[in-house]
């Protein structure tokens, strides 16, 4: 890595913004990932290390939404977290065997799909739902397994995907969705970074410094987001996804 004051400053700012964005929208890796790549870290290692850096931010932002946190009505919390752990482990294992060039090629398409899904979520749910209640436990488990696999593989835009899926599954309380999103992200990221570390994909010095900034950003923005109108939060999610998709297609 290029060891300069500017580079370290960039990594710290990226981690703060990433932790904050994860708290309210998701997509924090789109600050940390390009910053680490700019610093000279290979793509797969940059993704793994940025994910580790943002892990404490997930925990801090989960605490920030603690008053709103609850499990889906049709899937107990233990099962919700168990499925998230399984998916995160599978995704992390897939990342460790993916070449850098393949990973770079697939990233923008994953983000584009996540952004479109979130933007269309409410209309899709209106078209698909048969009632006002939440989807069943099997639908919740299958959806969370797929999203957690994605999160363990890439993590970028994970919050966007989770919020989109929650919308499609019938959830309407945005603060509850935010709290559960952050908890699931923390759980699946924990198992993913454990496997990243065992696979030798972490650059430790950069990750540990960035963790501190991510904690601050995650907690501060979680408290702010609880007081924001739902339309503002949704607009931030969509705008972030679109901008980062364009940037990644151009790189």
């Amino acid at each position: 890595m290029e060891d300069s004051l500017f580079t370290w400053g960039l990594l710290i700012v990226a981690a703060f913004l990433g932790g904050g964005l994860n708290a309210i929208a998701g997509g924090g890796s789109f600050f940390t990932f390009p910053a680490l790549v700019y610093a000279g870290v290979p793509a797969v290692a940059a993704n793994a290390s940025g994910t580790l850096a943002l892990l404490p931010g997930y925990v801090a932002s989960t605490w920030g939404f603690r008053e709103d946190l609850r499990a889906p009505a049709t899937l107990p919390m233990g099962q919700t977290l168990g499925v998230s752990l399984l998916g995160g482990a599978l995704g992390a294992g897939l990342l460790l065997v993916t070449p850098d060039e393949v990973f770079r090629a697939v990233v923008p398409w994953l983000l584009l799909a996540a952004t479109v899904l979130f933007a269309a979520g409410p209309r899709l749910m209106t078209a698909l739902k048969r009632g006002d209640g939440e989807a069943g436990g099997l639908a919740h488990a299958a959806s969370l397994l797929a999203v957690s696999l994605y999160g363990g593989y890439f993590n970028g835009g994970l919050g966007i995907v989770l919020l989109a899926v929650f919308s499609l599954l019938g959830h309407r309380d945005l603060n509850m969705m935010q709290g559960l999103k952050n908890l699931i992200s923390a759980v699946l990221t924990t198992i993913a970074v454990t496997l990243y570390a065992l696979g030798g994909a972490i650059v430790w010095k950069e990750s540990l410094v960035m963790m501190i900034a991510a904690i601050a950003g995650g907690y501060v923005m979680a408290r702010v987001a609880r007081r924001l109108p739902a339309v503002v939060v949704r607009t931030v999610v969509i705008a972030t996804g679109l901008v980062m998709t364009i940037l990644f297609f151009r790189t």
Side-chain angles (χ1 to χ4, degrees), residues 84-94 148 152 188 191-192 195:
S84 302
L85 278 170
L86 175 60
L90 293 173
L94 181 60
S148 298
L188 74 88
I191 187 63
L195 294 178

Side-chain angles (χ1 to χ4, degrees), residues 4 21 30 41 48 53 78-79 101-102 120 129 138-139 144 171 177 183 192 210 216 250:
S4 70
L21 186 61
F30 295 101
V41 180
Q79 295 178 28
E101 60 273 15
V102 174
K129 72 178 182 179
L138 183 59
L144 287 178
H171 297 278
M177 292 161 65
L183 177 60
M210 294 172 76
R250 295 181 63 181

Side-chain angles (χ1 to χ4, degrees), residues 18-88:
L21 186 61
N22 276 350
I24 63 172
S29 293
F30 295 101
F31 286 107
T32 58
F33 176 70
L36 283 161
V37 170
Y38 173 85
V41 180
V44 169
N47 180 61
S49 301
T51 300
L52 172 59
L54 292 173
L55 174 57
Y58 285 132
V59 176
S61 53
T62 299
W63 180 248
F65 280 102
R66 60 192 178 275
E67 296 93 343
D68 309 291
L69 182 61
R70 65 179 183 275
T74 57
L75 192 69
M77 187 64 82
Q79 295 178 28
T80 296
L81 299 183
V83 169
S84 302
L85 278 170
L86 175 60

